[in-house]
Amino acid sequence: TLKREFIDLYRLIDGVDFSDESYLTVTITGLPYRLRTTADSFAEQMREFVEFLEQFDPDMDSVSMIDMRFEQMIVSRSSK
């Protein structure tokens, strides 16, 4: 599970918004952007998010949203 594999990330999850039927919006303490995931693949998409950050170390300064719902693709929205 996510809690066992990434306990530090798990502890930083500040909130999960379930208000939209098609996705979850995840807020992580200390990150200026939010994540969109699906309920049925939440743990896997969070794993992919961690792998993405570790592998690519992207510049996320202007990012407001990361969408993890799509297979083999990460979509970001800029705040500028």
Side-chain angles (χ1 to χ4, degrees), residues 7-80:
I7 188 70
D8 293 334
L9 176 62
Y10 180 81
R11 289 179 177 156
L12 291 174
I13 294 175
D14 189 41
V16 180
D17 181 350
F18 289 81
S19 64
D20 193 292
E21 292 180 10
S22 61
Y23 60 83
L24 306 176
T25 301
V26 183
T27 304
I28 299 175
T29 301
L31 295 182
Y33 50 87
R34 291 172 294 150
L35 304 175
R36 279 200 181 141
T37 67
T38 58
D40 60 337
S41 297
F42 175 76
E44 178 60 31
Q45 290 166 350
M46 293 300 287
R47 266 188 229 101
E48 290 171 357
F49 170 68
V50 170
E51 290 171 8
F52 167 72
L53 291 180
E54 290 176 345
Q55 187 173 9
F56 297 104
D57 191 26
D59 178 8
M60 306 289 269
D61 291 341
S62 66
V63 174
S64 62
M65 179 71 67
I66 302 272
D67 198 330
M68 301 297 299
R69 296 177 291 164
F70 308 102
E71 192 172 327
Q72 301 295 319
M73 181 177 17
I74 297 172
V75 178
S76 69
R77 181 175 69 198
S78 175
S79 57
K80 294 180 181 178

